[in-house]
Amino acid sequence: MTFFYVLTIKTNNNMKKIFGYLNLALFAATTLFITSCGDDEPIVNATAPSITESHDFAATMEPGDTITLKISGVKGSSSLKTIAVAENDAPLGVDRFTFGGANQVSSTFLLGGADTSGFSEKVLSIKLPAAAGSYKYSVTLTDSKSKTDKISVDVTTVALEDISSDTLYNSLGPLQGGLEFFVGTHVWKGSDANNPWKGAHIVDNGNSGDASNHPWKGEIIRHENTVLRKPATNVTFADVINSKQIKALHAAGTDIETLKLTPGGVFTAERDGIYYLVKVTDAQDDGKNSGDNSNLDWSKYEIKHKK
């Protein structure tokens, strides 16, 4: 804005100086007025937003589990704008979380509608990584004036026990084989006629006849109250990373009393509430149908279960 004015002065030099000072003061006042009209009033003692969370999951989980946090946000002096989700201080992939039941386009996403004024117990669901380790998940709330607040939670994931078993030998041979799954140990045949392989989950099924009647069957049978099942679908052993997956495979499977051994074959087992995923890693006929050191046919296994 520009002001023009004309002064006609018919006075002495002193009067001219006085009018000059008045003109300068008028110009300064006008400039101050224009500047003050053009700016917004600043927020005095502006307050930041606040964010809180609650959860009921344990501090130790399994890889691939999903954790949920209930997130609440309260606005400060300015409206709420964004939420950012991070894992170990790095942006979390959008395929690993949902907020308020919805997928997001980025690890930092805009709030909309009523949420800009605050929200209560919105559910943040996060899928934990496949690798065991320690993880920190942080959630940062930012308002329209870039003021922030942040919460974080720590989670440790523990991998399944993954065991290479002892050798399971022909039950009619000198090593009389049974196998226990929790630590994968060979179980010798005992003297208890009612339970000769006490503690074993499976027992080798021997020969097609007696100890002198070969060949080896190449089979196992369940023992005690162990439940063996064949999965309903093909299972890639390495892809099973937590006990919930094993339990689901077992629930969908079909009961089996005996299993013909095929290297690479996978089955599930359950006893006393513990679920096992078992892969046949090898099965070998000793090739001897008579004589000394016969009936040493054997098999080996890889076993997964919750620690």
Side-chain angles (χ1 to χ4, degrees), residues 235 237 261-267 278-283 300:
V235 177
F237 192 82
L261 297 175
T262 303
V266 175
F267 62 95
V278 186
K279 181 174 73 173
V280 182
T281 56
D282 205 354
K300 287 187 176 182

Side-chain angles (χ1 to χ4, degrees), residues 208-231:
S208 56
D210 58 26
S212 300
N213 185 5
H214 300 276
W216 178 52
K217 288 182 179 179
E219 295 177 348
I220 55 170
I221 56 175
R222 70 181 187 89
H223 191 62
E224 293 184 354
N225 60 335
T226 303
V227 178
L228 301 182
R229 289 184 179 171
K230 180 180 179 179

Side-chain angles (χ1 to χ4, degrees), residues 48-243:
S50 65
I51 184 171
T52 57
E53 67 84 23
S54 63
H55 65 267
D56 59 5
F57 55 84
T60 301
M61 305 287 287
E62 292 185 76
D65 278 347
T66 297
I67 60 172
T68 59
L69 299 83
K70 293 180 179 179
I71 305 292
S72 298
V74 178
K75 70 183 290 292
S77 302
S78 302
S79 59
L80 303 178
K81 187 176 181 181
T82 64
I83 284 179
V85 185
E87 177 184 79
N88 291 346
D89 298 322
L92 183 63
V94 294
D95 59 335
R96 297 264 313 282
F97 77 94
T98 60
F99 182 74
N103 295 320
Q104 304 298 327
V105 298
S106 173
S107 61
T108 299
F109 54 92
L110 290 170
L111 294 168
D115 288 347
T116 61
S117 297
F119 54 89
S120 178
E121 295 193 337
K122 289 265 189 176
V123 174
L124 173 65
S125 296
I126 299 174
K127 184 176 182 181
L128 299 176
S134 297
Y135 300 94
K136 180 179 74 173
Y137 294 96
S138 58
V139 185
T140 303
L141 179 63
T142 303
D143 69 15
S144 61
K145 295 297 183 182
S146 299
K147 289 187 175 295
T148 65
D149 192 24
K150 181 168 73 172
I151 58 93
S152 62
V153 295
D154 294 314
V155 180
T156 298
T157 57
V158 178
L160 292 171
E161 195 76 64
D162 193 338
I163 300 164
S164 294
S165 77
D166 288 348
T167 301
L168 173 63
Y169 287 98
N170 188 329
S171 62
L172 292 179
L175 299 178
Q176 302 175 317
L179 190 71
E180 184 272 341
F181 284 162
F182 196 78
V183 292
T185 55
H186 175 269
V187 177
W188 288 85
K189 185 177 181 179
S191 58
D192 184 347
N194 294 319
N195 189 5
W197 285 279
K198 187 175 182 180
H201 289 82
I202 57 172
V203 173
D204 179 90
N205 204 22
N207 299 330
S208 56
D210 58 26
S212 300
N213 185 5
H214 300 276
W216 178 52
K217 288 182 179 179
E219 295 177 348
I220 55 170
I221 56 175
R222 70 181 187 89
H223 191 62
E224 293 184 354
N225 60 335
T226 303
V227 178
L228 301 182
R229 289 184 179 171
K230 180 180 179 179
T233 58
N234 290 330
V235 177
T236 301
F237 192 82
D239 290 347
V240 177
I241 58 174
N242 66 48
S243 61

